Amino acid sequence: MVHPVDRGLPGRPPLAEALDLEPHPEGGWYRQTWVAPETVTLADGRVRPTATLIHFLLPAGESSAWHRVSSDEVWLAHQGAVTLELGGSGGTPEPAAVVEVDAARPQALVPAGTWQRTVPRAVDALVSCLVSPGFHFDDFELA
């Protein structure tokens, strides 16, 4: 999935420009800001950093596609709010829970292998996502 507003074209959100964010395949904008220097070898032989961190901007009215990551993901609120819809861990997403990430609840955990998507809100939201073991696109699945 290609983000409807390509990097450098008119319509790129000002905060995405200021933070040098790029379109994310799931929707929204992102940039990796940190990779742990330590690595871990997983049971299946994959080697990953122990953790990674990104900024993720979701402009008002936008949502992300259903996706899942094979590592735990901690969402950290900075500005605005996101609503996470969790869809279980089966073969396809089945909406089961909703979690708000905002000033009142500034952290939320999405367990490894859980389907998730963000749903539209009225204002832009800037969050960070800490993934452990570290994120790699090979461990990312779109529904």
Side-chain angles (χ1 to χ4, degrees):
M1 176 169 133
V2 176
H3 196 279
V5 182
D6 208 1
R7 182 182 172 112
L9 296 176
R12 184 176 185 208
L15 190 53
E17 188 73 36
L19 295 174
D20 195 28
L21 307 181
E22 300 179 7
H24 197 292
E26 76 191 41
W29 301 82
Y30 83 108
R31 180 171 58 89
Q32 188 173 69
T33 59
W34 177 73
V35 176
E38 297 82 13
T39 60
V40 62
T41 301
L42 304 176
D44 61 8
R46 292 176 295 141
V47 176
R48 297 288 182 262
T50 54
T52 56
L53 184 66
I54 67 167
H55 281 315
F56 181 72
L57 172 67
L58 190 66
E62 290 190 22
S63 61
S64 71
W66 279 109
H67 65 284
R68 62 180 167 184
V69 177
S70 59
S71 296
D72 286 341
E73 187 171 353
V74 178
W75 287 63
L76 306 162
H78 299 299
Q79 173 183 313
V82 294
T83 300
L84 290 171
E85 189 172 6
L86 304 181
S89 59
T92 58
E94 296 188 19
V98 173
V99 177
E100 303 293 327
V101 183
D102 55 22
R105 183 175 181 178
Q107 297 181 11
L109 172 67
V110 177
T114 301
W115 289 105
Q116 62 178 297
R117 69 176 174 180
T118 55
V119 296
R121 295 289 299 248
V123 297
D124 291 356
L126 177 66
V127 299
S128 288
C129 294
L130 177 69
V131 179
S132 180
F135 179 84
H136 191 284
F137 273 104
D138 288 347
D139 305 330
F140 172 81
E141 179 182 3
L142 282 170

